[in-house]
Amino acid sequence: MKRREVQASVKDEKLVVKRREQMIKGAVALFKQKGFHRTTTREIARASGFSIGTLYEYIRKKEDILYLVVDHMYDQIRERLEKDLELHKGTLESLKLSIAYYFREMAEMQEEVLVMYQEAKSLSKDALPYVLNKEIAMVGMFEEVIRNCVRNGELDLNEKQIKLAAHNLFVQGQMWGFRRWALQKAYTLDEYIESQIELLFQGMQGARTKQETGGER
Amino acid sequence: MKRREVQASVKDEKLVVKRREQMIKGAVALFKQKGFHRTTTREIARASGFSIGTLYEYIRKKEDILYLVVDHMYDQIRERLEKDLELHKGTLESLKLSIAYYFREMAEMQEEVLVMYQEAKSLSKDALPYVLNKEIAMVGMFEEVIRNCVRNGELDLNEKQIKLAAHNLFVQGQMWGFRRWALQKAYTLDEYIESQIELLFQGMQGARTKQETGGER
Amino acid sequence: MKRREVQASVKDEKLVVKRREQMIKGAVALFKQKGFHRTTTREIARASGFSIGTLYEYIRKKEDILYLVVDHMYDQIRERLEKDLELHKGTLESLKLSIAYYFREMAEMQEEVLVMYQEAKSLSKDALPYVLNKEIAMVGMFEEVIRNCVRNGELDLNEKQIKLAAHNLFVQGQMWGFRRWALQKAYTLDEYIESQIELLFQGMQGARTKQETGGER
Amino acid sequence: MKRREVQASVKDEKLVVKRREQMIKGAVALFKQKGFHRTTTREIARASGFSIGTLYEYIRKKEDILYLVVDHMYDQIRERLEKDLELHKGTLESLKLSIAYYFREMAEMQEEVLVMYQEAKSLSKDALPYVLNKEIAMVGMFEEVIRNCVRNGELDLNEKQIKLAAHNLFVQGQMWGFRRWALQKAYTLDEYIESQIELLFQGMQGARTKQETGGER
DNA sequence: CATGAATGAGTATTCATTCAT
DNA sequence: CATGAATGAATACTCATTCAT
């Protein structure tokens, strides 16, 4: 699925890109503070460094800004995720490393993640599929990595479990941000990552099982 | 923390309760469809079966309705969760059962869950703590059950892991709803629950580990 | 064709009628000065004696006001026209009298007529038919009166001529208003009416014809 | 009265004329569709084949375009009217012929006529006199022709009647256009012209009168 | 001369909230 | 207690006009 076009009146493509960068930057800052609905177009224009008239030279409707913002965030996340996963060698150790990297990236982007979680639903039925699609692609990247480990005999999961594990991973990375009111009081980021990875790989095993398992040479 | 008071002009307590029930029922239906921001107070009044004037006899501001609604939803969830967990006998088997029950309840309430996820952030800094508190309490219920298993020697988890596992459980129960656009295409609810529980208890174990573990007598 | 409904949020029918009267009065005054497009809804509200919010309790869109205004004007004209024509006895003399009355009424309403001529086209395709229908009905009233004279042997016109004569009459009555920049400099109203009626009944006859005709005993 | 100057920034007179021709052509097409108010300057620029910036090199304000357009239309009408009337030999027959020609021209230009009727009022108090003046001149052309007939003894009308007859003629020619919603359903253009001329020359005469008149040798 | 990006005053419309009845 | 008419601040979006390139 291609990127959804947001129509601009201005023809100069370079300029459109530049102005939209300004716009996204300004809008993100405001959305972080007050959310999409409570932010006015005039505020966005001001925060972007141009007039309300100019703003509308680069979009058609307020919702276009939200789309641009969310789309941009997904691109950022994807970019980071790609980097995190590309080192991956198909071993458990490298998988754990990738996950830790991803968790850390998401922690850095927690405010963006928050905006996405809370505002994406304000996208029209028209725009929503495009961003969901991006999310599906990202979950797919995790799946691929996990599936790799399974192929290598490092993990033993069926297809349903692989898919679900990928989902869980994706969500847990963002959880640090969207549940920070609880998690960030109880854990440092390092603790969170460590514990999360432990649970992920050991599961909530029975005590004996674990001893025996742990007891292997 | 006590329930936050929403001021009413009407004195008759019985009536207040009754009217608010009507209000919540009407508002929930609307919030499910269009979200809090896109729903007007007039629509809520109409859906509740009384006039806009009357609506304001029982609340002070529109946000009060959101608080009432979200608060009510949390109560509902808590109620169900309590029921799910009270049978619990501290064994792994009963824990798995409780989790399955909870996942099923959350699937039934997925629309409500969606509303909570998407609209709770619209609560003022003033009201938010009250509902977050309820959520913390619910996570605490899970913690307690897990901790019980640990005490019984059924599970071997440290305190950090217990807390986190509780969080994960809580979120995964709601995930079926808030990521339905992806999950409900790939899984039936039963499959989701089964796979989720498998992952939860086995973790993403190494293949050999699992064989050995499984191979115990 | 029934009157087009303009939706009001207010339920009290009496009040709707009263407020719309105020609205029409205020709007007409403004439309006379600056036309529909140059008049803002706020100005109309102020001129009507209530707030912009209240204005919108009684209409849905700005265009509704135009419809209300034009519709009202047509009703006024019709009312007067009915009165002018009802005395009519089917003789040439009484026809001339009716016409003179009508011309005089239109002169009184010239500003309203001007508004109608200039703004009616701003009505949506949706509303236009309703007012055109009223105009057709009024032309029909003239036709009927003329046809009466024909039946009585007072006039000798075929059906096409009757219809056209009715149109001409209708338009000429309004001409005094919509061409006042020319006519009102050259004629008093009495002169206009007198000359117009002469032309209407004699036509631009050949000189000899007229002498002979005039010379009859 | 001289033509009103519309200021241009561009000096090259030839170019000014050419660009304004483009402009008028583009604007007329748009005004026919949507009227002056609903047409934007950008649309006019695009329809004219140049940019908004260029448009403003040849006018000062949007209203200038309307003036240019209306002025041009009057010139067109005048041109045709001159052609229609110049054959005129001062007889009744040739007068009827001229009238028929004029009616036919106006039928061809009905959309332009409509624009003039509906939009001319949007001209500023400043520009209006110039175009009204043109209209007065055209009515004067009709007057002259009629007066000629009177001098030749072909018609017997006093000065007031001459002027009024000229007005009526002028308006009736345009009526086919501005009342087309009624007339064009009931008449073909030929029927309209024929009936209108009959009424014009016979008037709505008494039946006896007509017989007697018709009975002359 | 031509272009088109920038501007911001202006406008219709909505909606939470109040308060007299 | 219940009603619903009144209010006006707030807001998205438009468009004539300017001016630097």
Side-chain angles (χ1 to χ4, degrees):
Chain A
M1 204 184 300
K2 295 192 54 175
R3 187 185 300 266
R4 189 178 112 107
E5 287 301 325
V6 172
Q7 295 254 13
S9 305
V10 169
K11 295 171 180 176
D12 182 338
E13 267 304 324
K14 286 267 184 2
L15 196 54
V16 170
V17 169
K18 179 180 154 199
R19 292 279 181 257
R20 286 195 176 159
E21 271 167 14
Q22 291 178 266
M23 233 170 74
I24 288 169
K25 200 171 162 196
V28 167
L30 289 163
F31 292 175
K32 282 179 186 174
Q33 278 173 50
K34 358 168 38 183
F36 174 69
H37 275 109
R38 295 203 210 286
T39 302
T40 67
T41 52
R42 293 188 120 83
E43 286 171 322
I44 296 171
R46 199 176 323 123
S48 310
F50 35 72
S51 70
I52 181 66
T54 300
L55 181 74
Y56 274 89
E57 291 284 304
Y58 295 93
I59 55 159
R60 275 226 187 317
K61 338 177 63 225
K62 188 186 176 192
E63 200 218 283
D64 286 345
I65 307 175
L66 180 58
Y67 174 73
L68 252 22
V69 162
V70 171
D71 193 62
H72 174 77
M73 287 176 174
Y74 270 114
D75 285 347
Q76 264 187 288
I77 294 180
R78 179 191 186 94
E79 211 172 281
R80 295 184 178 218
L81 188 55
E82 266 165 358
K83 204 190 61 207
D84 295 339
L85 297 184
E86 72 190 3
L87 323 141
H88 179 66
K89 306 194 247 330
T91 66
L92 274 193
E93 269 327 294
S94 74
L95 175 57
K96 287 182 188 176
L97 224 56
S98 292
I99 292 170
Y101 284 147
Y102 166 68
F103 278 23
R104 232 172 274 280
E105 308 274 23
M106 290 303 97
E108 266 175 36
M109 293 183 64
Q110 56 181 285
E111 305 226 271
E112 280 80 359
V113 167
L114 218 50
V115 168
M116 284 169 47
Y117 258 77
Q118 292 172 342
E119 310 296 352
K121 64 86 200 305
S122 296
L123 288 171
S124 64
K125 295 287 169 233
D126 197 39
L128 202 55
Y130 290 84
V131 300
L132 292 186
N133 211 50
K134 293 210 171 178
E135 181 146 351
I136 287 173
M138 284 190 280
V139 173
M141 290 165 63
F142 268 123
E143 279 177 33
E144 209 42 58
V145 172
I146 298 171
R147 198 173 286 118
N148 234 343
C149 289
V150 173
R151 279 201 211 94
N152 290 354
E154 296 269 324
L155 282 176
D156 179 28
L157 297 170
N158 62 35
E159 191 58 23
K160 295 243 177 249
Q161 290 173 327
I162 292 172
K163 276 180 126 71
L164 195 55
H167 264 285
N168 286 346
L169 269 176
F170 193 76
V171 169
Q172 280 164 11
Q174 304 181 338
M175 226 172 95
W176 178 252
F178 74 77
R179 290 180 76 80
R180 57 175 160 185
W181 47 269
L183 296 174
Q184 301 191 14
K185 270 170 197 151
Y187 303 85
T188 64
L189 177 57
D190 283 335
E191 287 170 348
Y192 174 73
I193 294 176
E194 189 191 341
S195 297
Q196 202 62 284
I197 288 181
E198 285 167 9
L199 283 178
L200 226 37
F201 285 87
Q202 296 170 12
M204 307 200 302
Q205 304 168 45
R208 279 161 308 143
T209 306
K210 202 173 170 189
Q211 280 174 356
E212 288 165 29
T213 310
E216 70 165 330
R217 197 95 342 176
Chain B
M1 205 183 298
K2 294 191 55 176
R3 187 185 300 266
R4 187 179 113 106
E5 286 303 323
V6 171
Q7 296 254 11
S9 306
V10 170
K11 301 296 164 197
D12 182 338
E13 263 307 321
K14 285 266 179 16
L15 198 52
V16 170
V17 169
K18 178 182 155 199
R19 291 279 183 254
R20 285 191 178 163
E21 270 167 16
Q22 290 177 269
M23 237 170 71
I24 288 169
K25 198 171 165 198
V28 167
L30 290 164
F31 291 176
K32 281 180 186 174
Q33 278 173 49
K34 359 168 39 184
F36 173 69
H37 275 108
R38 295 201 212 289
T39 302
T40 67
T41 52
R42 293 177 123 87
E43 286 172 320
I44 296 171
R46 199 178 323 123
S48 310
F50 38 73
S51 72
I52 182 66
T54 301
L55 183 75
Y56 273 87
E57 291 288 310
Y58 296 93
I59 56 159
R60 276 233 184 309
K61 340 179 64 216
K62 187 186 177 193
E63 202 218 279
D64 287 345
I65 307 175
L66 181 58
Y67 173 73
L68 251 22
V69 161
V70 170
D71 193 61
H72 174 77
M73 288 176 173
Y74 271 115
D75 284 348
Q76 263 187 289
I77 295 180
R78 179 192 186 92
E79 210 172 283
R80 295 183 178 220
L81 188 56
E82 266 165 358
K83 203 189 63 207
D84 295 339
L85 297 185
E86 71 190 2
L87 323 140
H88 178 66
K89 306 194 245 336
T91 66
L92 273 193
E93 270 328 294
S94 74
L95 176 56
K96 286 183 188 177
L97 224 58
S98 293
I99 292 171
Y101 285 147
Y102 166 69
F103 277 23
R104 232 172 275 279
E105 307 274 23
M106 289 303 97
E108 266 176 36
M109 293 184 64
Q110 57 180 287
E111 305 227 273
E112 280 80 359
V113 167
L114 220 49
V115 168
M116 284 168 48
Y117 258 77
Q118 292 172 342
E119 309 296 354
K121 63 88 201 307
S122 295
L123 288 170
S124 64
K125 296 287 169 230
D126 196 39
L128 203 53
Y130 290 85
V131 300
L132 292 186
N133 211 48
K134 293 212 170 178
E135 181 147 350
I136 287 174
M138 283 190 280
V139 173
M141 290 164 64
F142 268 123
E143 280 177 34
E144 208 44 57
V145 173
I146 298 171
R147 197 172 287 116
N148 233 342
C149 290
V150 173
R151 277 202 212 94
N152 290 355
E154 297 270 325
L155 282 175
D156 180 27
L157 297 169
N158 62 35
E159 191 57 23
K160 295 244 177 248
Q161 289 173 326
I162 293 173
K163 277 180 124 70
L164 196 53
H167 265 285
N168 285 347
L169 269 176
F170 193 76
V171 168
Q172 281 164 10
Q174 304 181 338
M175 224 173 96
W176 177 253
F178 75 78
R179 290 180 75 80
R180 57 174 160 185
W181 46 270
L183 296 174
Q184 301 192 13
K185 269 170 197 149
Y187 303 85
T188 64
L189 177 57
D190 283 334
E191 287 171 346
Y192 174 73
I193 294 176
E194 189 191 342
S195 297
Q196 202 63 282
I197 288 181
E198 285 167 9
L199 283 177
L200 225 38
F201 283 88
Q202 298 170 11
M204 308 200 301
Q205 306 169 44
R208 277 161 309 141
T209 307
K210 202 171 169 190
Q211 278 174 354
E212 288 166 31
T213 309
E216 68 165 331
R217 194 95 341 175
Chain C
M1 204 183 301
K2 294 192 55 176
R3 186 185 301 266
R4 188 178 113 106
E5 286 302 325
V6 171
Q7 295 253 14
S9 305
V10 170
K11 295 172 179 175
D12 182 338
E13 267 305 324
K14 285 267 181 8
L15 196 53
V16 170
V17 169
K18 179 181 155 199
R19 290 281 180 257
R20 285 196 176 157
E21 270 166 15
Q22 291 177 265
M23 234 171 74
I24 289 168
K25 200 170 162 197
V28 167
L30 290 164
F31 291 176
K32 282 179 185 174
Q33 278 172 49
K34 358 170 37 184
F36 173 69
H37 275 108
R38 295 202 211 286
T39 302
T40 67
T41 51
R42 294 187 121 81
E43 286 172 322
I44 296 171
R46 200 176 322 123
S48 310
F50 37 71
S51 71
I52 182 66
T54 301
L55 182 74
Y56 274 89
E57 290 284 306
Y58 295 93
I59 56 160
R60 274 226 188 316
K61 339 176 62 223
K62 188 186 176 192
E63 202 219 280
D64 287 345
I65 307 176
L66 180 58
Y67 173 73
L68 251 22
V69 161
V70 171
D71 193 61
H72 174 77
M73 286 176 175
Y74 269 114
D75 284 347
Q76 264 186 289
I77 295 181
R78 180 192 184 95
E79 210 172 282
R80 294 183 177 219
L81 187 57
E82 265 166 359
K83 204 190 61 206
D84 295 340
L85 297 184
E86 72 190 2
L87 323 139
H88 179 67
K89 306 193 248 332
T91 66
L92 275 194
E93 271 326 297
S94 74
L95 176 57
K96 286 182 188 176
L97 224 56
S98 291
I99 293 171
Y101 283 147
Y102 167 68
F103 278 24
R104 230 173 276 280
E105 307 274 24
M106 289 304 97
E108 267 176 34
M109 293 183 65
Q110 56 181 286
E111 305 226 272
E112 279 82 359
V113 167
L114 219 50
V115 168
M116 284 169 47
Y117 258 78
Q118 293 171 343
E119 310 296 354
K121 65 86 201 305
S122 296
L123 287 171
S124 64
K125 295 287 170 233
D126 196 39
L128 202 55
Y130 290 84
V131 300
L132 292 186
N133 211 49
K134 293 211 170 179
E135 180 147 350
I136 287 173
M138 284 190 278
V139 173
M141 289 165 64
F142 268 123
E143 279 177 35
E144 208 43 59
V145 172
I146 298 172
R147 198 173 287 118
N148 233 343
C149 291
V150 174
R151 279 203 210 93
N152 289 356
E154 295 271 324
L155 282 175
D156 180 26
L157 297 169
N158 62 35
E159 191 56 23
K160 296 240 176 254
Q161 290 172 328
I162 292 172
K163 277 181 125 71
L164 196 54
H167 264 285
N168 286 346
L169 270 174
F170 193 77
V171 169
Q172 280 163 11
Q174 303 181 340
M175 226 173 96
W176 177 253
F178 75 77
R179 291 179 75 80
R180 57 176 160 182
W181 47 271
L183 297 174
Q184 300 190 16
K185 269 169 197 152
Y187 303 85
T188 65
L189 177 57
D190 284 333
E191 287 171 346
Y192 175 73
I193 294 176
E194 189 190 341
S195 297
Q196 203 61 285
I197 289 181
E198 284 167 9
L199 283 177
L200 226 37
F201 284 88
Q202 295 171 13
M204 308 202 300
Q205 303 169 45
R208 277 161 311 143
T209 307
K210 200 171 170 190
Q211 279 175 355
E212 287 166 30
T213 310
E216 69 166 332
R217 196 98 336 183
Chain D
M1 205 184 300
K2 295 190 53 176
R3 186 185 301 265
R4 187 178 113 106
E5 286 303 324
V6 171
Q7 296 253 14
S9 306
V10 171
K11 302 295 165 197
D12 182 339
E13 263 307 322
K14 285 268 181 11
L15 196 53
V16 171
V17 169
K18 179 181 155 202
R19 290 278 182 257
R20 285 192 178 163
E21 269 168 14
Q22 292 177 267
M23 236 169 72
I24 288 167
K25 198 169 165 199
V28 167
L30 290 164
F31 291 176
K32 281 180 186 174
Q33 278 173 48
K34 357 167 41 183
F36 173 70
H37 274 108
R38 296 202 212 286
T39 303
T40 68
T41 51
R42 292 177 124 88
E43 286 171 321
I44 296 171
R46 198 178 323 125
S48 309
F50 37 73
S51 72
I52 182 66
T54 302
L55 183 76
Y56 273 87
E57 292 288 310
Y58 296 93
I59 56 159
R60 277 232 183 308
K61 342 178 62 219
K62 187 187 178 192
E63 202 218 280
D64 288 345
I65 307 175
L66 180 59
Y67 173 73
L68 251 23
V69 161
V70 171
D71 193 61
H72 174 77
M73 286 176 175
Y74 270 115
D75 285 348
Q76 264 186 288
I77 296 181
R78 178 192 186 94
E79 211 173 280
R80 295 184 178 218
L81 188 57
E82 265 165 358
K83 203 189 64 207
D84 295 338
L85 297 185
E86 71 191 0
L87 322 139
H88 178 65
K89 307 196 246 331
T91 65
L92 275 193
E93 269 328 296
S94 74
L95 176 56
K96 287 182 186 177
L97 225 58
S98 293
I99 292 170
Y101 283 147
Y102 166 70
F103 277 23
R104 233 171 274 279
E105 308 274 25
M106 289 304 97
E108 267 176 35
M109 294 184 64
Q110 55 181 287
E111 306 227 272
E112 280 81 359
V113 167
L114 221 50
V115 169
M116 284 168 48
Y117 258 77
Q118 292 172 344
E119 309 296 353
K121 64 86 203 304
S122 295
L123 288 170
S124 64
K125 296 288 168 229
D126 196 40
L128 202 54
Y130 290 85
V131 300
L132 292 186
N133 210 48
K134 293 212 171 177
E135 179 147 350
I136 288 173
M138 283 190 279
V139 173
M141 289 165 64
F142 268 122
E143 279 177 35
E144 208 44 59
V145 173
I146 299 172
R147 198 173 286 116
N148 233 343
C149 289
V150 173
R151 278 202 211 92
N152 289 358
E154 296 269 325
L155 282 176
D156 180 26
L157 297 169
N158 63 35
E159 192 57 23
K160 296 245 175 246
Q161 289 173 326
I162 293 172
K163 278 180 124 71
L164 195 54
H167 264 285
N168 285 347
L169 270 175
F170 192 77
V171 168
Q172 280 164 10
Q174 304 181 338
M175 224 173 97
W176 177 252
F178 74 77
R179 291 179 74 80
R180 56 175 160 182
W181 47 271
L183 296 174
Q184 302 191 14
K185 270 170 198 152
Y187 302 87
T188 65
L189 178 57
D190 284 333
E191 287 171 347
Y192 175 73
I193 294 176
E194 189 190 340
S195 296
Q196 202 61 283
I197 289 181
E198 284 167 9
L199 282 177
L200 225 39
F201 285 88
Q202 296 170 15
M204 307 200 303
Q205 303 169 47
R208 278 160 310 143
T209 307
K210 202 173 170 191
Q211 278 174 354
E212 287 165 30
T213 310
E216 69 165 332
R217 194 102 337 179

